[in-house]
Amino acid sequence: MTASDELPGSAAHVLELVANGSATSRADLVRELGLAASTVSTRVQELVDAGLLTESGQGASRGGRRPRLLRAAAQGAVALAADLGSHHIRTGAVGLTGAGFDIDEYAFDLTAGPEPALDVLAERLAELAERQRTAGRTVRGVGVGFPGPVDTDGGRIIAPSRMPGWHLFELRDRLADRLGLPVLLDNDANVLALGEHRAAHPKLRHLVVVKAGRGIGSGVISHGRLYRGARGSAGDISHVRVGTAAERPCSCGNIGCLETVASGAAIATALRARGIAVDSTTDILRLVENGEPHATTLVRQAGRDIGAVLAVVVNFFNPEAVILGGALSGAEPLVAAVRGMLYERCLPMATRELTIDAAAGGPDAGLLGAGHAALRELAAADGLRAPVAGRG
């Protein structure tokens, strides 16, 4: 199941409206969805029976009988979540209210290939699942964010940059077989967008959330829901050609891509060429914080390049907010440069009320987004019938 399957009025949509506070009663849902009360009641009862919603107490009356209050179940259903970086894996469990449990991060190099990564990921998630069951929680599914292009329908990785052996690897089905749980697989920028939208901007309908780390990507929220496009590549700004990249070859096979000059990997390479020791984006941030001139100049120029690409996106899509996440968003010169380019190059109508800021969700935003997506899309569909047999 993918986000495109979350139709208005579906169980997944009802669960989302209650979880984000848009609706607190069946009457609210009828008004929000424009559906018959009987249809809404059927959806609500399915979710209550599945343990995903609770209904109790009484809300404020609007002229008739006081409604019973709907809430996402604070305990019970959780999804396991994994946010994969090129050199780390972050795991945790996510509840319907957005709470995270047993979050952990450990070093791992995804370029070592898919089989070693699958072994480590399956082992860590299996241990995490047992901890949740011991705590009395039902594990409904798994959400995974991967740092590269993903075929969400097929559950496969598609030609990720700098990651040999991953092309067409069926990570979703292989992981589901190992864990005995349904798995949702998506691009890491998409799950970051979901997490940031829910945690910090739930009332906004149209957002662009950029992930600037070792690579660059973005997720698009349209009409309050993740937009993947026709084949799942919506938001891929990393391979847009920019003038400052000139004829630099890119891992995608083209030349002059944004990734070749504005990614953390590109900045680190440029600093090492100047004899400055850099191993990670954390090292780049430390240099910028300490006022190292070469690092500051490169990060500021990266912000200008990212901003130049985003200016086209903003003029075309007209979002309410552009949110900058990923490790490099912790560098104020980058954020300031992006903001400056957007105000310089976008139409005044597009920027008049545009929010441009660093992500508020911190390092857990992608993890929480992956878990939230799994709960919403897997639990509210396949999981409505019953928990996976023998799994909680």
Side-chain angles (χ1 to χ4, degrees):
M1 180 177 180
T2 69
S4 61
D5 297 313
E6 187 196 307
L7 299 175
S10 65
H13 192 198
V14 169
L15 179 61
E16 173 69 5
L17 290 172
V18 175
N20 69 22
S22 297
T24 60
S25 69
R26 298 188 187 211
D28 287 347
L29 289 168
V30 170
R31 283 189 291 271
E32 284 280 339
L33 298 170
L35 297 176
S38 59
T39 301
V40 168
S41 291
T42 298
R43 298 284 187 272
V44 168
Q45 196 58 52
E46 289 174 348
L47 292 164
V48 170
D49 291 344
L52 301 176
L53 291 182
T54 63
E55 190 173 30
S56 61
Q58 290 186 327
S61 172
R62 297 190 180 184
R65 186 172 58 183
R66 297 176 69 184
R68 301 183 72 196
L69 294 176
L70 291 169
R71 294 186 179 90
Q75 293 292 330
V78 296
L80 309 181
D83 186 18
L84 310 185
S86 56
H87 288 79
H88 76 273
I89 296 177
R90 194 172 184 84
T91 60
V94 181
L96 285 164
T97 60
F101 306 97
D102 298 313
I103 295 175
D104 195 12
E105 181 174 322
Y106 39 96
F108 186 83
D109 187 357
L110 288 186
T111 63
E115 294 294 347
L118 177 63
D119 289 340
V120 171
L121 187 58
E123 179 183 354
R124 297 281 181 161
L125 289 176
E127 293 172 355
L128 179 63
E130 285 306 311
R131 289 199 293 273
Q132 304 317 301
R133 292 169 189 138
T134 300
R137 305 182 189 110
T138 299
V139 179
R140 292 281 182 170
V142 182
V144 178
F146 184 86
V150 171
D151 169 12
T152 54
D153 290 334
R156 302 178 299 175
I157 310 302
I158 304 295
S161 301
R162 302 180 303 278
M163 291 187 189
W166 279 95
H167 180 53
L168 298 183
F169 186 75
E170 296 177 334
L171 179 58
R172 182 191 65 193
D173 294 345
R174 296 284 298 276
L175 186 59
D177 288 343
R178 295 281 287 269
L179 296 175
L181 290 165
V183 175
L184 180 142
L185 174 66
D186 208 336
N187 171 264
D188 62 341
N190 282 344
V191 297
L192 173 65
L194 285 169
E196 186 67 19
H197 179 233
R198 188 180 188 203
H201 307 281
K203 300 301 182 183
L204 298 186
R205 304 287 288 165
H206 309 284
L207 292 85
V208 174
V209 181
V210 176
K211 184 170 186 179
R214 285 187 63 86
I216 300 174
S218 72
V220 179
I221 302 293
S222 178
H223 294 282
R225 296 195 291 275
L226 180 66
Y227 178 75
R228 290 188 178 93
R231 297 298 300 274
S233 66
D236 188 353
I237 62 173
S238 59
H239 300 293
V240 174
R241 189 166 186 176
V242 294
T244 54
E247 301 298 311
R248 297 190 186 195
C250 180
S251 57
C252 73
N254 289 326
I255 57 173
C257 294
L258 177 66
E259 183 176 286
T260 66
V261 290
S263 65
I267 294 171
T269 298
L271 288 172
R272 286 193 292 267
R274 294 177 177 272
I276 302 172
V278 175
D279 291 324
S280 66
T281 50
T282 301
D283 294 335
I284 296 171
L285 292 179
R286 175 179 48 79
L287 291 170
V288 172
E289 289 171 359
N290 291 336
E292 204 290 319
H294 297 301
T296 302
T297 297
L298 288 169
V299 165
R300 185 175 290 117
Q301 183 58 50
R304 292 193 187 100
D305 291 332
I306 294 170
V309 172
L310 288 177
V312 179
V313 174
V314 168
N315 278 333
F316 180 79
F317 179 53
N318 190 205
E320 296 164 278
V322 172
I323 305 299
L324 303 172
L328 287 180
S329 69
E332 178 54 33
L334 182 138
V335 178
V338 170
R339 185 181 290 114
M341 289 298 286
L342 290 179
Y343 282 124
E344 175 186 332
R345 297 197 177 191
C346 292
L347 294 169
M349 181 180 291
T351 58
R352 186 174 298 136
E353 298 180 359
L354 179 68
T355 297
I356 308 165
D357 213 344
D364 292 340
L367 180 79
L368 296 177
H372 168 59
L375 279 172
R376 183 187 64 196
E377 299 183 20
L378 297 173
D382 301 328
L384 279 177
R385 291 186 291 275
V388 176
R391 299 286 172 176

